[in-house]
Amino acid sequence: SISNSASKSAVYAVNKTTKNVSWTYGVDAKVNSQIAIDSGGNSYFSTQNGWVYSLNQSGGLNWKIDLSGTTSAYPVIGEGVLYITLDSGRLVKVDQ
């Protein structure tokens, strides 16, 4: 993520071989530190203002969900379910 508040934040996919950016997805808040990736190559991440995003391998939006609370946690994948904890201590389960 980018910490410059003027540019907000973004998630980048970088080719390991060429070091070129394959795609970028911008969001309106700071991205939390880790991104989860499932076996299908979909990525999941959260932002500090309480949104959870799912992107496909090409950087396109699959879905986004407002958790109605702030979070500094990142999503965890477990048996086809996404889990994330809000700063209030509430655990949220997102079924796919």
Side-chain angles (χ1 to χ4, degrees), residues 18-84:
T18 66
K19 309 293 188 257
N20 292 329
V21 175
S22 302
W23 53 260
T24 304
Y25 189 87
V27 295
D28 66 352
K30 187 174 180 189
V31 175
N32 291 317
S33 63
Q34 293 187 7
I35 298 172
I37 301 175
D38 67 16
S39 59
N42 297 299
S43 55
Y44 305 88
F45 65 94
S46 62
T47 58
Q48 290 186 352
N49 64 351
W51 285 85
V52 176
Y53 293 79
S54 171
L55 304 179
N56 62 34
Q57 288 182 344
S58 301
L61 181 66
N62 291 327
W63 50 261
K64 69 179 185 176
I65 298 171
D66 181 1
L67 299 176
S68 300
T70 60
T71 183
S72 55
Y74 51 87
V76 175
I77 300 171
E79 297 184 27
V81 178
L82 198 68
Y83 297 96
I84 189 163

Side-chain angles (χ1 to χ4, degrees), residues 1-10 12 27-31:
S1 71
I2 301 172
S3 60
N4 180 342
S5 59
S7 63
K8 302 296 181 189
S9 289
Y12 294 86
V27 295
D28 66 352
K30 187 174 180 189
V31 175

